[in-house]
């Protein structure tokens, strides 16, 4: 059976990326690899929209989150983190594990923190060293305006802003330098379209200053060691060579399509999924929506297990369930990374059929698919009437 992955990590791996990994392994001191790594490092700067070096760590995304905490802070430092979902919550857990005093801004899962809420906390705790946020909260499908949060943080404090961009990099507009983001993180099995195993982190000058002063324990994830090695185009430890070879191919694809086009594609596909779901009669969870993943309530009265089983075993479609208290309430459809229009038509069609087969029939077959196609038609039309990219992007936010 054909496997169709619609989960927000891991995400589908393009054929040419997978094939690159099947080549005989090369040695990491070999000129061939050194050339690949240099190119990857340049292209990562483009992806993050930064002049700073982007460090490639051998770990899943959480490793880069841990690296950020262990390298930036010192014992007893105070930070603010936003818990609006599982991944925001993780910032607090990592900080506490390292003896950092983490002040929680707990918001109802399913909405985004407002700039006012952050401003209020900064007034209350003027000595915080950092504000840790999640750009796209994968557990709830909610987007947070980190551009505005960054402005608020810098206007009201000396803190740095640390951004978990694990499902926003390669899906949402993100300009690390221009927006004054001090730390940006992502992972390989998300927008980068390669298997799990790499994480990425970039730091501003100001954040590097904190790294110099940090006294928390660290070894494998020492960014000072990574920085020293990178000065010679190297890594402090054996890199995950095969994944970096794959990353090289994936980044070339990203450069070829162009970041702006990729952001626009994610916006379009996410809108199509939302409209498709609504046309079937499904209620969306979370606001404002992420372009990476759409969270949807299970409709009342269906056999959820049957629905998911039918999707997976009859139609080959894997979607993600909900996490923690959202476990039996929502499911999540990913459109992050290697997806096109026909993939979206397919997933909405499969959802329609699986719903009909598990006892939900308050729609006509094809309602969702038609809504999806209408969104694509709208985008085609606006492409013809608007040739100004700026205008196009701003109209659809
Ligand atoms: C996937 C993800 C992570 C990291 O998870 P890993 O399993 O360690 O890769 C962190 N934050 C967000 C928002 C994510 O989507």
């Amino acid at each position: 059976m054909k496997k169709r992955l619609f989960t927000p990590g891991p995400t589908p791996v393009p054929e040419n990326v997978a094939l690159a990994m099947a080549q005989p392994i090369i040695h990491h001191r070999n000129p061939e690899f050194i050339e690949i790594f240099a190119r990857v490092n340049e292209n990562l700067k483009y992806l993050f929209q930064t002049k700073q070096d982007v460090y490639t760590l051998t770990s899943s995304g959480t490793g880069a989150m841990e690296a950020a905490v262990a390298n930036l802070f010192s014992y007893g430092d105070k930070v603010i983190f936003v818990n609006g979902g599982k991944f925001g919550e993780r910032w607090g857990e990592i900080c506490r594990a390292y003896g950092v005093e983490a002040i929680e801004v707990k918001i109802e899962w399913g909405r985004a923190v407002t700039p006012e809420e952050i401003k209020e906390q900064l007034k209350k705790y003027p000595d915080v060293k950092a504000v840790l946020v999640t750009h796209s909260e994968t557990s709830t499908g909610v987007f947070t305006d980190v551009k505005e949060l960054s402005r608020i943080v810098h206007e009201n404090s000396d803190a740095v802003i640390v951004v978990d961009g694990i499902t926003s990099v390669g899906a949402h507009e993100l300009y690390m330098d221009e927006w004054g983001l001090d730390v940006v993180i992502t992972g390989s099995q998300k927008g980068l379209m390669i298997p799990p195993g790499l994480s990425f982190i970039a730091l501003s000058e100001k954040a590097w200053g904190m790294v110099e002063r940090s006294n928390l324990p660290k070894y494998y994830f020492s960014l000072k060691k990574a920085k020293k090695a990178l000065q010679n185009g190297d890594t402090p430890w054996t890199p995950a060579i095969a994944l970096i070879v794959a990353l090289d191919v994936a980044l070339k694809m990203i450069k070829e399509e162009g970041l702006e086009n990729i952001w626009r594609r994610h916006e379009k596909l996410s809108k199509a999924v939302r409209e498709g779901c609504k046309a079937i009669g499904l209620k969306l969870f979370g606001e404002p929506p992420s372009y990476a993943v759409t969270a949807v309530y299970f409709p009342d009265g269906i056999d959820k297990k049957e629905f998911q089983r039918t999707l997976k075993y009859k139609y080959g479609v894997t979607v993600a369930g909900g996490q923690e208290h959202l476990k039996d309430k929502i499911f999540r459809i990913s459109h992050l990374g290697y997806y096109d229009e026909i993939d979206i038509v397919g997933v909405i069609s499969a959802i329609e059929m699986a719903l009909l087969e598990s006892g939900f029939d308050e729609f006509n077959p094809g309602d969702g698919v038609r809504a999806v196609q209408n969104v694509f038609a709208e985008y085609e039309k606006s492409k013809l009437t608007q040739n100004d990219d700026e205008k196009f992007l701003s109209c659809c936010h």
Side-chain angles (χ1 to χ4, degrees):
M1 180 194 267
K2 210 161 171 177
K3 289 194 173 83
R4 300 174 171 91
L5 202 51
F6 286 88
T7 51
T11 64
V13 176
E15 296 79 353
N16 51 337
V17 172
L19 280 173
M21 284 186 298
Q23 303 303 308
I25 193 84
I26 50 177
H27 194 277
H28 55 290
R29 306 254 187 256
N30 188 320
E32 201 184 338
F33 182 78
I34 291 169
E35 191 188 312
I36 289 172
F37 194 49
R39 184 166 54 234
V40 158
N41 288 330
E42 271 320 299
N43 289 342
L44 282 171
K45 290 182 192 180
Y46 167 68
L47 180 69
F48 279 51
Q49 291 289 297
T50 183
K51 290 196 174 68
Q52 301 295 334
D53 285 318
V54 180
Y55 292 86
T56 300
L57 311 177
T58 308
S59 74
S60 76
T62 308
M65 296 173 77
E66 178 153 344
V69 170
N71 284 274
L72 285 173
F73 308 134
S74 295
Y75 286 112
D77 272 356
K78 202 183 281 177
V79 304
I80 291 171
F81 75 100
V82 178
N83 174 359
K86 183 130 186 85
F87 295 105
E89 184 178 54
R90 188 168 297 176
W91 276 131
E93 289 170 0
I94 298 170
C95 287
R96 284 164 190 162
Y98 275 90
V100 171
E101 191 184 330
I103 296 152
E104 179 177 47
V105 181
K106 172 112 181 144
I107 54 173
E108 190 193 333
W109 289 17
R111 75 167 179 92
V113 72
T114 65
E116 292 70 35
E117 284 168 310
I118 293 297
K119 199 170 165 179
E120 202 178 291
Q121 294 298 318
L122 289 169
K123 288 245 154 67
K124 212 158 132 194
Y125 304 101
D127 56 339
V128 293
K129 293 285 174 12
V131 177
L132 303 114
V133 297
T134 317
H135 197 185
S136 159
E137 179 46 84
T138 319
S139 64
T140 59
V142 168
F143 165 80
T144 294
D145 183 356
V146 298
K147 181 187 182 186
E148 180 62 11
L149 289 188
S150 179
R151 198 178 64 76
I152 291 291
V153 169
H154 295 311
E155 269 180 22
N156 294 278
S157 75
D158 278 330
V160 291
I161 178 162
V162 179
V163 178
D164 172 350
I166 295 181
T167 55
S168 72
V169 170
H172 277 276
E173 212 183 0
L174 182 144
Y175 296 96
M176 175 170 168
D177 291 357
E178 202 185 308
W179 292 357
L181 308 178
D182 293 290
V183 178
V184 175
I185 283 163
T186 196
S188 58
Q189 80 278 27
K190 310 278 175 132
L192 275 167
M193 310 177 287
I194 66 176
L198 297 179
S199 67
F200 307 90
I201 182 168
L203 285 75
S204 68
E205 298 285 338
K206 187 172 173 182
W208 275 114
M210 290 169 73
V211 172
E212 285 306 317
R213 296 185 296 276
S214 162
N215 65 9
L216 293 180
K218 51 200 151 276
Y219 188 82
Y220 189 70
F221 287 134
S222 165
L223 293 177
K224 266 195 203 167
K225 286 191 172 83
K227 188 178 194 176
K228 200 162 156 233
L230 194 61
Q231 279 159 1
N232 302 314
D234 206 350
T235 51
W237 333 110
T238 308
I241 299 164
L243 287 173
I244 290 173
V245 167
L247 175 65
D248 184 35
V249 178
L251 284 169
K252 278 184 199 159
M253 287 173 70
I254 287 172
K255 246 179 91 177
E256 216 170 273
E257 186 177 355
L259 266 183
E260 288 82 0
N261 292 329
I262 289 172
W263 295 334
R264 191 179 310 163
R265 173 165 56 83
H266 282 79
E267 180 194 339
K268 178 174 79 176
L269 299 187
S270 71
K271 176 136 200 262
V273 167
R274 292 193 300 275
E275 292 305 317
C277 288
K278 284 195 281 186
I280 301 171
L282 298 177
K283 217 175 120 218
L284 303 177
F285 177 87
E287 180 65 28
S290 163
Y291 295 170
V293 56
T294 299
V296 190
Y297 283 102
F298 286 109
D300 291 333
I302 65 155
D303 183 340
K304 290 169 201 165
K305 286 262 145 25
E306 183 60 32
F307 169 63
Q308 280 165 303
R309 256 200 310 271
T310 305
L311 259 188
K312 188 176 288 178
Y313 298 114
K314 189 160 178 198
Y315 300 113
V317 169
T318 303
V319 294
Q323 293 169 296
E324 305 214 343
H325 67 274
L326 299 171
K327 196 170 184 325
D328 289 317
K329 292 207 172 79
I330 61 167
F331 64 98
R332 295 170 298 146
I333 308 159
S334 173
H335 23 79
L336 172 61
Y338 188 51
Y339 292 102
D340 65 11
E341 295 173 339
I342 300 305
D343 292 325
I344 303 305
V345 169
V347 72
I348 293 297
S349 172
I351 287 172
E352 284 191 0
M353 293 188 285
L355 282 173
L356 288 169
E357 289 164 41
S358 32
F360 181 76
D361 59 0
E362 291 164 33
F363 64 96
N364 294 312
D367 283 352
V369 169
R370 184 177 316 109
V372 165
Q373 292 191 19
N374 284 339
V375 169
F376 295 155
E378 261 170 52
Y379 271 76
E380 276 309 306
K381 234 169 47 200
S382 61
K383 203 157 82 186
L384 295 176
T385 53
Q386 291 220 21
N387 38 29
D388 180 0
D389 273 10
E390 286 299 313
K391 242 195 276 172
F392 189 90
L393 279 172
S394 65
C395 80
C396 309
H397 268 282

